[in-house]
Amino acid sequence: MGKRILGSMLLLLLGMVSFTFLSGLKVEAADRVHTVSSQETVESIAATYDISAEQLMKTNGLPDGKLYRGQKLIIQTDYTPSIYQWTERGKQIGNYAKSFTGFKKTAGEETPKKGFDSSGLIYWVLSRQNVPTDRMSVEGYYKEGMDTDTPKAGDVIFFLEKESSKVVTAGIYLGGNQFVNSGYGAETVQVRSTTEKYFEQYQAAYKTYTPKGEHVVQNNETLKSISDIYGISVETIKMRNALPTDSLMQGQYLQIYSSPLYPFYANQEASYDKAYDVIKYAYTLRGFTYVFGEYDPMIGMDCSGFIYWVMKEQGISIKRGSAADYYSLLPKLRDPKAGDLVFFRDTDLSQEIAHVGIYLGDGRFIHTTKNTGVHISDLTSSYFTQKFESFGQVQSNMD
């Protein structure tokens, strides 16, 4: 009996020692970094470290299995699955940005193959992480992002001249005063610190593209299961997102809290009774892909298909047409209201109406494009200023 007790105590002590030291080893292993070489794949690297390919991709925020020679991947061996949250999403974005440390700085470029400038790095990282955004300058990203007083990994950090507030450079924030930047003082992408003498001369500002208060619908989730996670009623979630039914689509962005996430329309006069609902529902489709000639989010939508789907789902009778068709139907406006349409001409010799979106207010509109899918853009950007044609009054088509 005494021997059994002594044996049990020894096993318990051994277990405690193993836990103490092995957990330390796990932490050390979690900090390992693997530099990708030629011919390596996600599967081969995962096999090297005896982890799953899915785990390797999730830890580093890899959007697909494509790797780039020189990419630096974090090897985390103590992976624990967790409910999808924006804080975790932000860490993945930061880790993905960090994986390009050492890649060359190239003015005007935005790919691992050609290199990155500071805004090009932001565009590549965010777009590859399914955060829908246009390719813009650092000034454009500063204007488009949402202010945050509590910056977190995955946000964008900007450095502004203190007197003029002119944006000098920007990068992907990692937390703890660190950020990934392809810009000043280095010829490659580097992890930098706000405490460096160079950056201390500027004012730091943070914008978020991975906001709190949204939930991204995962496979097999229901309104009831999401309601249980946040302690908010199903009806409230439906109302805040203008969901026409209880059905959800994987990848939909659901606003959970009461304040509008992108409040461009909040102080705008609505063009018609259901304009705010049209906008709220359109917001849930951000990131859904572009497919020419289609209108179903689960297949993909072109610009006019997006208009048709959103209006139809909100009970607004509208025929399936092209951007040019909608342009021909609506009276033109100088002063649009929230929910009106905005039209753009092609810049080639044809000069035809080639694109359409939904006006949100404050110079913003939501639309879908080939490279980015459904996203919000700024009318004052040079690209859309060049192509802008007019606004169309939606209310007139309902009389």
Side-chain angles (χ1 to χ4, degrees), residues 210-232:
T210 56
K212 294 179 180 178
E214 271 196 321
H215 179 90
V216 181
V217 177
Q218 303 298 287
N219 190 31
N220 296 321
E221 280 192 318
T222 65
L223 277 172
K224 179 62 170 61
S225 66
I226 296 170
S227 168
D228 291 341
I229 290 171
Y230 296 99
I232 298 174

Side-chain angles (χ1 to χ4, degrees), residues 307-326:
I307 302 296
Y308 171 73
W309 176 270
V310 171
M311 296 290 185
K312 175 181 72 71
E313 290 297 291
Q314 291 303 313
I316 298 171
S317 178
I318 182 173
K319 291 183 179 180
R320 172 69 171 107
S322 65
D325 291 332
Y326 293 147

Side-chain angles (χ1 to χ4, degrees), residues 115-376:
F116 305 98
D117 60 15
S118 56
S119 58
L121 178 67
I122 292 168
Y123 171 72
W124 177 269
V125 170
L126 293 183
S127 62
R128 296 298 289 167
Q129 291 298 307
N130 294 320
V131 179
T133 181
D134 291 318
R135 171 64 164 106
M136 296 181 281
S137 64
V138 287
E139 292 86 356
Y141 286 115
Y142 181 73
K143 185 175 181 180
E144 190 70 19
M146 294 170 290
D147 293 319
T148 178
D149 295 325
T150 55
K152 60 189 178 303
D155 287 339
V156 180
I157 182 172
F158 296 86
F159 293 91
L160 288 68
E161 293 181 349
K162 291 181 178 178
E163 292 185 3
S164 66
S165 294
K166 179 183 177 181
V167 181
V168 176
T169 189
I172 303 292
Y173 189 59
L174 301 176
N177 295 325
Q178 291 192 317
F179 61 98
V180 183
N181 172 258
S182 181
Y184 289 84
E187 295 303 315
T188 59
V189 176
Q190 298 289 334
V191 174
R192 311 294 293 271
S193 173
T194 58
T195 61
E196 292 178 31
K197 185 176 181 180
Y198 177 82
F199 293 108
E200 281 187 326
Q201 67 182 302
Y202 299 110
Q203 176 187 348
Y206 301 86
K207 302 279 185 170
T208 184
Y209 290 82
T210 56
K212 294 179 180 178
E214 271 196 321
H215 179 90
V216 181
V217 177
Q218 303 298 287
N219 190 31
N220 296 321
E221 280 192 318
T222 65
L223 277 172
K224 179 62 170 61
S225 66
I226 296 170
S227 168
D228 291 341
I229 290 171
Y230 296 99
I232 298 174
S233 72
V234 167
E235 288 306 312
T236 297
I237 295 174
K238 287 182 70 174
M239 178 189 69
R240 288 176 180 167
N241 295 277
L243 299 176
T245 69
D246 287 352
S247 298
L248 296 175
M249 292 177 283
Q250 183 177 350
Q252 266 184 298
Y253 288 67
L254 299 184
Q255 185 164 305
I256 300 300
Y257 302 114
S258 56
S259 298
L261 180 63
Y262 292 90
F264 310 125
Y265 69 89
N267 296 316
Q268 301 285 324
E269 184 179 352
S271 178
Y272 45 95
D273 288 344
K274 290 190 174 183
Y276 285 173
D277 283 346
V278 164
I279 291 170
K280 290 176 183 178
Y281 181 66
Y283 278 6
T284 74
L285 302 177
R286 297 193 321 279
F288 277 71
T289 57
Y290 177 98
V291 176
F292 179 75
E294 297 292 347
Y295 62 86
D296 184 339
M298 298 309 293
I299 299 172
M301 301 170 285
D302 62 15
C303 64
S304 56
F306 171 63
I307 302 296
Y308 171 73
W309 176 270
V310 171
M311 296 290 185
K312 175 181 72 71
E313 290 297 291
Q314 291 303 313
I316 298 171
S317 178
I318 182 173
K319 291 183 179 180
R320 172 69 171 107
S322 65
D325 291 332
Y326 293 147
Y327 177 79
S328 68
L329 290 172
L330 303 183
K332 309 309 177 285
L333 291 168
R334 281 184 173 271
D335 300 311
K337 299 175 182 177
D340 281 327
L341 300 188
V342 56
F343 295 96
F344 303 88
R345 285 193 182 274
D346 206 336
T347 53
D348 62 14
L349 295 177
S350 70
Q351 288 288 298
E352 293 179 348
I353 298 297
H355 194 59
V356 60
I358 301 171
Y359 185 67
L360 305 175
D362 194 29
R364 315 299 174 91
F365 65 103
I366 188 167
H367 62 138
T368 184
T369 59
K370 184 177 180 179
N371 292 333
T372 313
V374 179
H375 66 290
I376 295 167

